């Protein structure tokens, strides 16, 4: 069955370190998204991609970057981790403007 | 622009009680509307959707009707179970603004036996 996976599921890092969160989908979807989930804010869009080599900034993109070198993967990089980036991160994919499919999430703690 | 507003939580109900979670939206075009559910420790799962006005989405006993006149998509269930305890997110997608989704802040539901 097609699926979307994220790794690691849990990560503890220190302020200033570079961190990369992986997202891999086997749906063969063109569209992929990164969100962060924080209490009181729901899900906020960080970056998204509509295809290989396409990337776009979302609502809260400062301090984050993505690259899309193939259809299946959209890694999210925190260039220099900050305590404000402690959050739960979700990756999602979709074929069209209908129905996004979500990964299980990565819980990141920045000390 | 596009946005979703849903009722504040948390909501606590007894088993077999009636559930309503309110959701209203603002959209520039003709959106599709969704309810997603997030069980503890998991990602979001699609619960139901409606793609045009007056459509009713339904799944697992949950229902929501796309009301264009009131710009609403309220989630209802006639008799909740303990296993329905989760966080529920209302969302919209508007084909005129690409493939982005706009989510509400989520409503936490706890059902007690």
């Amino acid at each position: 069955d097609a699926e979307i996976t994220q790794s690691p599921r849990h990560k503890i890092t220190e302020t200033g370190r570079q961190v990369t969160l992986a997202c891999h989908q086997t749906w063969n979807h063109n569209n992929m998204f990164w969100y962060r989930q924080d209490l009181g804010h729901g899900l906020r869009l960080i970056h998204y991609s509509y295809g290989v080599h396409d990337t776009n900034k979302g609502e809260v993109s400062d301090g984050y970057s993505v690259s899309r070198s193939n259809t299946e993967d959209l890694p999210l990089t925190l260039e220099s981790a900050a305590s404000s980036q402690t959050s739960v991160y979700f990756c999602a994919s979709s074929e069209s403007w209908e129905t996004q499919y979500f990964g299980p999430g990565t819980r990141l703690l920045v000390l | 622009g596009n946005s979703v507003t849903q009722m504040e939580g948390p909501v606590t109900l007894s088993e077999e009680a009636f559930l309503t979670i309110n959701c209203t939206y603002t959209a520039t075009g003709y959106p599709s509307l969704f309810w997603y559910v997030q069980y503890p420790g998991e990602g979001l799962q699609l619960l139901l959707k409606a793609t045009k006005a007056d459509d009713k989405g339904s799944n697992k006993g949950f229902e929501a009707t796309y009301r264009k006149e009131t710009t609403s998509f309220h989630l209802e269930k006639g008799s909740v179970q303990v296993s329905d305890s989760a966080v529920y997110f209302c969302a919209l997608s508007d084909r005129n603004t690409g493939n982005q989704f706009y989510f509400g802040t989520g409503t936490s539901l706890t059902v007690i036996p």
Side-chain angles (χ1 to χ4, degrees), chain A residues 29-105:
Chain A
H29 287 161
N30 284 321
N31 308 318
M32 296 184 73
F33 307 83
W34 273 106
Y35 297 90
R36 60 178 288 174
Q37 183 180 26
D38 305 287
L39 199 62
H41 292 279
L43 275 78
R44 292 183 289 177
L45 184 63
I46 304 171
H47 281 286
Y48 58 102
S49 168
Y50 289 155
V52 177
H53 302 310
D54 175 76
T55 61
N56 305 279
K57 294 181 179 181
E59 177 188 359
V60 291
S61 60
D62 287 349
Y64 303 94
S65 63
V66 294
S67 62
R68 187 92 179 268
S69 58
N70 58 53
T71 300
E72 295 81 14
D73 299 290
L74 186 70
L76 177 71
T77 297
L78 286 68
E79 303 294 345
S80 177
S83 58
S84 59
Q85 294 177 309
T86 292
S87 186
V88 181
Y89 292 86
F90 288 100
C91 179
S93 71
S94 73
E95 181 51 40
S96 69
W97 55 279
E98 289 197 4
T99 308
Q100 292 193 358
Y101 298 89
F102 283 79

Side-chain angles (χ1 to χ4, degrees), chain B residues 4-57:
Chain B
V4 173
T5 303
Q6 63 181 102
M7 66 183 284
E8 296 284 333
V11 175
T12 302
L13 294 173
S14 297
E15 204 165 22
E16 299 184 2
F18 185 85
L19 169 70
T20 300
I21 301 178
N22 290 335
C23 172
T24 58
Y25 68 89
T26 302
T28 54
Y30 302 94
S32 288
L33 301 173
F34 305 81
W35 278 100
Y36 278 81
V37 59
Q38 183 182 30
Y39 298 104
E42 299 183 10
L44 278 70
Q45 304 173 26
L46 178 66
L47 179 60
L48 54 84
K49 69 178 183 182
T51 59
K52 62 183 186 295
D54 299 326
D55 271 3
K56 178 186 285 187

Side-chain angles (χ1 to χ4, degrees), chain B residues 49-71:
Chain B
K49 69 178 183 182
T51 59
K52 62 183 186 295
D54 299 326
D55 271 3
K56 178 186 285 187
S58 61
N59 186 26
K60 299 181 181 180
F62 291 89
E63 293 183 339
T65 301
Y66 187 166
R67 303 284 189 198
K68 188 177 180 183
E69 63 275 14
T70 55
T71 62

